[in-house]
Amino acid sequence: MGWFSKLLLPGRLRTGPTALLPARPDPKTLLAVAQLADPEARTDGDDILAGGSRIESPVELTGEVLAKLGVPDEDRLWACRIAAEGPLPVDFFDKSLAEGIAYRLGGWSLCQGEPLDPAEDAGDPLVYLPAVPEPEEILPILAESLRHADAVDTARWPEGELIEGVVHVPVRRGRVADVYAGADVLVTVEEGHRLPPAAQTRWPYLTEVAIARVSPVARTEEAGGDAEPAGVPSGAAADDQTEDVTSAEAAPGPLDAGSDNEDASTSTSTGVGSDAEGAEAATSRNDAEGTEGTEDTTDTEDTEDTEDTDEARGALLARAAVALALADGLRGIAADSRGFQIAEAADVLPGVMPEP
């Protein structure tokens, strides 16, 4: 690459959606990932064509270029720029393509100058459906897949009806047709969406599809009394999130002066040198105690972070299992939040790749 190309490279990568990957992807693996978003994705020379977009061949980036791109703490990454070559099948498909590739290959995505770690936001699993299912079609599937609700939250869903442990709310407002809620999972059925490539391949005769979005139930006590009802158009209920509050790191407790005095009384105190030795020993011991307290606090925080991560992964896997059950029962297509098809629940986790 010439010096002029290197000079223009950061600007080109900044403007268009780009996947920044930790290692040069194998072409077959990259094609297999792209085919999750567009089953008809194919190679074109060194590039890949998917959904009206071109996935350009990987370019190696070093620390100097990465610094200009605003990507911290990275010395070397491989960039796959996504360039739209015509009308996209759905809005922002090229951006979703970059994020989905980065999500599965453990990297970053970059769009309009903003680097993003897609693993920090897995999103909600989706199910593409040829039409909005009737309640009698979807309720038996959800009754077997969801943890049952005990009662209807009438303040939130005044028109809700509890049927076999599932709350059904007929919305029929905007794009939202129906909402179904269990104890901890919400399924929002929306109609009138443009066909993503996976749906175009399955149903080439359709002009639009319905989408079932599987999201966590936003509890009223967490959202507050002014929380919006779950049947808001555009799936706003799926975006409700509760902010994690991390407690401040606890400071080490006061030093135990009594133990220092005991050690000093047993040492020889006949001169300045002895006093210095005693002070040095006490200082070393106090430093060790302070360090031990800090390590204990850090270990506790690490354990809590690990538990939170495991809980979030478990909840995501549970929602993916619901999406797969709906896709199987309603002859639909299960996908992650970025439109990449999933065949099993674990496919929604970051770093999970298809076999090339």
Side-chain angles (χ1 to χ4, degrees), residues 95-179:
K95 182 176 182 289
S96 297
L97 197 58
E99 290 183 7
I101 291 171
Y103 188 77
R104 274 159 183 76
L105 299 180
W108 298 65
S109 70
L110 184 67
C111 186
Q112 296 181 346
E114 181 180 358
L116 168 73
D117 181 0
E120 293 181 355
D121 182 14
D124 296 324
L126 308 172
V127 184
Y128 301 130
L129 300 169
V132 173
E134 296 296 330
E136 52 267 24
E137 294 179 282
I138 192 172
L139 277 168
I141 301 172
L142 294 177
E144 293 184 0
S145 305
L146 300 183
R147 194 162 65 87
H148 287 182
D150 296 327
V152 179
D153 184 349
T154 54
R156 186 176 185 186
W157 297 307
E159 298 180 2
E161 179 184 7
L162 185 64
I163 305 173
E164 297 184 4
V166 180
V167 177
H168 173 220
V169 186
V171 180
R172 310 294 171 181
R173 178 161 52 92
R175 274 190 175 179
V176 178
D178 295 280
V179 172

Side-chain angles (χ1 to χ4, degrees), residues 7 14 52 61 70 103 111 121 160-161 174 180 219 287 297-298 314:
L7 185 65
R14 244 190 235 108
L61 305 181
Y103 188 77
C111 186
D121 182 14
E161 179 184 7
Y180 301 89
R219 294 176 176 81
D287 290 344
T297 303
T298 303

Side-chain angles (χ1 to χ4, degrees), residues 292-307:
E292 182 179 354
T294 304
E295 290 176 351
D296 291 343
T297 303
T298 303
D299 290 343
T300 301
E301 291 177 349
D302 291 343
T303 300
E304 292 176 352
D305 290 343
T306 301
E307 290 175 352

Side-chain angles (χ1 to χ4, degrees), residues 39 72 74 93 118 124 135 141 148 151 178 241 247 275 277 283 320 328 354:
E74 296 289 348
F93 179 77
D124 296 324
I141 301 172
H148 287 182
D178 295 280
Q241 296 178 352
S247 59
D275 292 341
E277 291 174 1
T283 301
D328 183 59

Side-chain angles (χ1 to χ4, degrees), residues 12 16-17 38 42-57 81-90 92-95 97:
R12 292 183 68 244
D38 178 7
R42 58 182 177 84
T43 57
D44 182 41
D46 294 332
D47 301 338
I48 294 174
L49 298 179
S53 300
R54 178 177 295 273
I55 305 172
E56 297 181 358
S57 58
R81 185 172 181 268
I82 314 297
E85 296 207 327
L88 297 176
V90 294
F92 310 113
F93 179 77
D94 52 348
K95 182 176 182 289
L97 197 58

